[in-house]
Amino acid sequence: DQQVKQNSPSLSVQEGRISILNCDYTNSMFDYFLWYKKYPAEGPTFLISISSIKDKNEDGRFTVFLNKSAKHLSLHIVPSQPGDSAVYFCAASAQGTSYGKLTFGQGTILTVHP
Amino acid sequence: GAGVSQSPSNKVTEKGKDVELRCDPISGHTALYWYRQSLGQGLEFLIYFQGNSAPDKSGLPSDRFSAERTGGSVSTLTIQRTQQEDSAVYLCASSLRSQINQPQHFGDGTRLSIL
């Protein structure tokens, strides 16, 4: 079963506007969440994370929001830049696995148009 | 370089052959992880090592897959009697420790193609 889901395979936005990427999870044991960005032929690059004791974490243009009751998180990128075009993966982990096992969503392809 | 290094970057082999994939983690990182990404899919956890503790092998898909980590540093993922469904990008990651707020840093992967 898919415990972490990214229901939008792709997203297209104009440069300077906001990009919102969404992620849903089903396992209530997950308590640490991460977003990764991936360019073709490269490994994923860590962007930002949030633990379940928070509902928001911000780092520059990137903000992650967590809604535990809805088991939903989102990544906001403001303002979006063409260099942000990549595949974005959300991932989740749990204390029960010592945070060693990340469960990934299937990814969302973000395209930012100049 | 200071990042996670994987070799080879590409591997093409015939069905039934054994393959070995290598991972050099970031220096000082005690935790090491293996994932794979099949075409059009997200990353799938395979195994992780944390220091001298027994590895978590819960993601290995069959007994044809094994991994070891020698001296707490370099790791090798071995796939015996490869099948076409083993074709994927195999990614290695490392972190300072396996704990919250220690994000995993990934290498660029080995693209494995089974003919």
Side-chain angles (χ1 to χ4, degrees):
Chain A
D1 64 337
Q2 192 74 20
Q3 296 187 55
V4 178
K5 296 180 184 179
Q6 295 176 254
N7 291 318
S8 298
S10 62
L11 174 68
S12 181
V13 300
Q14 208 67 31
E15 180 178 8
R17 307 294 287 269
I18 185 171
S19 295
I20 300 176
L21 298 121
N22 294 303
C23 179
D24 297 293
Y25 62 97
T26 57
N27 188 340
S28 58
M29 300 304 292
F30 289 146
D31 58 1
Y32 182 54
F33 304 89
L34 309 90
W35 283 94
Y36 282 85
K37 176 171 75 172
K38 187 180 184 302
Y39 294 119
E42 295 184 9
T45 302
F46 170 72
L47 272 178
I48 192 168
S49 64
I50 188 167
S51 72
S52 60
I53 61 173
K54 293 186 172 182
D55 55 17
K56 176 183 175 181
N57 189 26
E58 194 171 353
D59 183 2
R61 297 186 298 115
F62 301 91
T63 302
V64 56
F65 295 91
L66 175 62
N67 182 335
K68 287 190 296 291
S69 61
K71 293 190 177 66
H72 177 84
L73 64 155
S74 61
L75 175 68
H76 293 210
I77 306 173
V78 182
S80 302
Q81 300 173 352
D84 296 329
S85 298
V87 180
Y88 287 78
F89 291 97
C90 71
S93 65
Q95 186 179 22
T97 61
S98 300
Y99 305 106
K101 174 183 176 181
L102 290 181
T103 301
F104 283 84
Q106 291 183 302
T108 296
I109 301 170
L110 173 66
T111 304
V112 180
H113 299 282
Chain B
V4 176
S5 177
Q6 292 187 246
S7 60
S9 54
N10 285 282
K11 177 74 175 177
V12 180
T13 193
E14 293 180 347
K15 176 182 169 181
K17 300 284 189 184
D18 298 351
V19 295
E20 283 190 355
L21 312 178
R22 177 186 167 105
C23 173
D24 283 274
I26 294 171
S27 177
H29 281 193
T30 64
L32 185 147
Y33 316 82
W34 284 98
Y35 295 83
R36 73 176 176 182
Q37 185 180 18
S38 302
L39 190 63
Q41 303 296 314
L43 280 74
E44 174 191 6
F45 168 80
L46 297 177
I47 185 172
Y48 90 88
F49 300 86
Q50 170 57 67
N52 296 320
S53 303
D56 180 340
K57 304 179 181 180
S58 61
L60 294 179
S62 78
D63 58 8
R64 295 187 295 105
F65 288 72
S66 63
E68 60 179 29
R69 188 177 186 194
T70 53
S73 181
V74 171
S75 177
T76 302
L77 177 69
T78 301
I79 309 173
Q80 296 178 310
R81 305 180 303 282
T82 52
Q83 305 292 313
Q84 287 185 331
E85 62 262 28
D86 300 334
S87 297
V89 177
Y90 288 80
L91 290 153
C92 176
S94 70
S95 64
L96 273 175
R97 286 170 294 281
S98 174
Q99 67 179 52
I100 198 168
N101 295 325
Q102 292 292 337
Q104 299 176 21
H105 300 274
F106 284 81
D108 287 340
T110 293
R111 181 174 296 277
L112 178 63
S113 300
I114 309 300
L115 303 179

